Amino acid sequence: LYFFGAPFAILLGMSETVLRLPVMLASSAMVLLLLPLRRRLGRSGVTAAAWLLAVSPSLVYYGRDLIHETYLAALTLALVAAVSLWLEAGRDRHLVLAALAFGLLFTVKETAVLTLAGLAAGALAAWWVAGRPPVPERLRAVPRGTRRLVALVIVVPYVLLFTSFLSNPWGFVDSIRGFLPWTEKGIEGSGHEKPWPYFFGLLATFEPAALAGGVLGGAAILARRFSRRNAFGVFCFAWWAVQLAVYSVIPYKTPWLVLNMVLPLILSAGALFGEIGRWQPSGAARAALAGIGLLLAAWTASKAVEVSFLRYDDENLGLVYVQTTREVRDLMKEIEAAAARSPKGKAGLAIRFYTNNRWPLPWYLREYHGTLYQKEVPYDPAGDVLIFEPGQEPDVRAGLKDWKTYRRRVFTLRRNVKLVMYTRMLQSADPTRPVS
């Protein structure tokens, strides 16, 4: 995650936009990664899938957030596209690209194991429906030099990234050991336990078009309407069904994990639309389908706008989760005003945190070098700006002899997390009366 963003930060400087930029590019690239699948999905299928990807509320919301899941989804689609091209044309470069995507999957997130489980189930189902073609023989026919290159393309990026470019050799071992705590976290839930229908509820609320397309495509497959001639549709159906089942069974659930289900659902919906296009419906039926599709796309786009730009910090929306509220902007304006009043400026302003609930404020305060972070309120908690939890206020006041010279404000950092901020003001003529 960090190495993917480092080149942008080096070239463009450090800012919120720069941190989100590579994630946004990876998310946007997913639409282009559908093009190699046009033979599998057909023109109608690729068009439908492209629209569903472009306006997906979950992909838009998390597609500009510094989070692992977007990279995982983009690399998964890249892997599917590269393998599809290799199966069609048999060119070595497609196999090498697939190897690169495969190797990078595990450098992004440990849950790549679950992604591969879904892909393997889909591949097995498609292989069976397609009449069990001799894929192993095709792999054995790959030249030895290409196989060595494939192995290097998988291993070298993995080793370089996990060892921080060989500066931390033990990082490679830690990358394997890291599966143990993450497995334990997934089984126990670690405070993020949700009931098993959690993801189905998210999909029904925010991704009804993708869910309906995927379910209808699955129903058509089970009814054998097009499964015998559309192995890719079978692959997508088995992929999303296994992903939804696995993530639903695991107690640990967070909303960004839904991206792992949204992607195969969209591809499954694309396969359904591709099959409808092959049936060559009449002009009236085609117009009706197009109208329904446009209405669904417009409604989905409106949900994407709502959750990403209007109510992005409203946790009453299921996709919003432990999100920093917009009140942080007001908090920062208060600190900036204190720095402007102080002769010490940003670098010398004495900011004191007495709480563990502070992230992402250290990011916003990275230029304030006089910031101190502590868990407990000390005997003398004095400073230019004091930030603490409401329950700590009696201790702060007990330690401050001049607490009346501070301005008090309360901010909501995120849901159920409030912070009290004391900002030192200029002393008035009456020492018992603070300047407001």
Side-chain angles (χ1 to χ4, degrees), residues 352-369:
R352 302 291 181 260
F353 271 91
Y354 304 126
T355 171
N356 275 334
N357 289 311
R358 51 181 178 256
W359 190 256
L361 289 172
W363 158 256
Y364 290 108
L365 295 169
R366 61 192 183 278
E367 296 179 358
Y368 291 80
H369 304 304

Side-chain angles (χ1 to χ4, degrees), residues 178-324:
F179 282 97
L180 298 177
W182 280 103
T183 301
E184 182 180 352
K185 184 178 181 180
I187 294 174
E188 294 181 355
S190 301
H192 299 278
E193 301 87 352
K194 308 287 190 308
W196 71 265
Y198 173 75
F199 290 117
F200 187 84
L202 281 182
L203 291 167
T205 303
F206 294 97
E207 307 284 354
L211 181 62
V215 170
L216 289 174
I221 287 168
L222 294 177
R224 293 187 176 275
R225 299 294 292 179
F226 65 83
S227 60
R228 291 188 182 278
R229 59 177 176 172
N230 194 333
F232 189 75
V234 175
F235 164 76
C236 294
F237 167 64
W239 176 13
W240 73 253
V242 169
Q243 290 288 87
L244 180 58
V246 170
Y247 277 101
S248 296
V249 168
I250 296 173
Y252 181 94
K253 295 179 178 69
T254 51
W256 47 82
L257 294 174
V258 80
L259 268 61
N260 298 285
M261 290 140 264
V262 170
L263 174 60
L265 275 168
I266 287 175
L267 292 179
S268 185
L272 176 64
F273 274 90
E275 197 64 26
I276 292 173
R278 292 188 186 98
W279 291 341
Q280 297 181 346
S282 64
R286 196 180 301 116
L289 287 171
I292 294 171
L294 287 173
L295 286 174
L296 285 173
W299 183 89
T300 306
S302 71
K303 295 294 289 184
V305 170
E306 178 186 26
V307 73
S308 298
F309 302 105
L310 302 178
R311 298 172 62 189
Y312 54 84
D313 55 353
D314 184 354
E315 291 203 19
N316 292 315
L317 296 177
L319 282 180
V320 181
Y321 196 72
V322 296
Q323 186 69 32
T324 304

Side-chain angles (χ1 to χ4, degrees), residues 26-43:
S27 180
S28 302
M30 292 177 68
V31 177
L32 297 177
L33 286 172
L34 291 173
L35 292 177
L37 301 175
R38 59 189 178 275
R39 288 180 128 186
R40 306 282 183 182
L41 298 175
R43 181 181 296 178

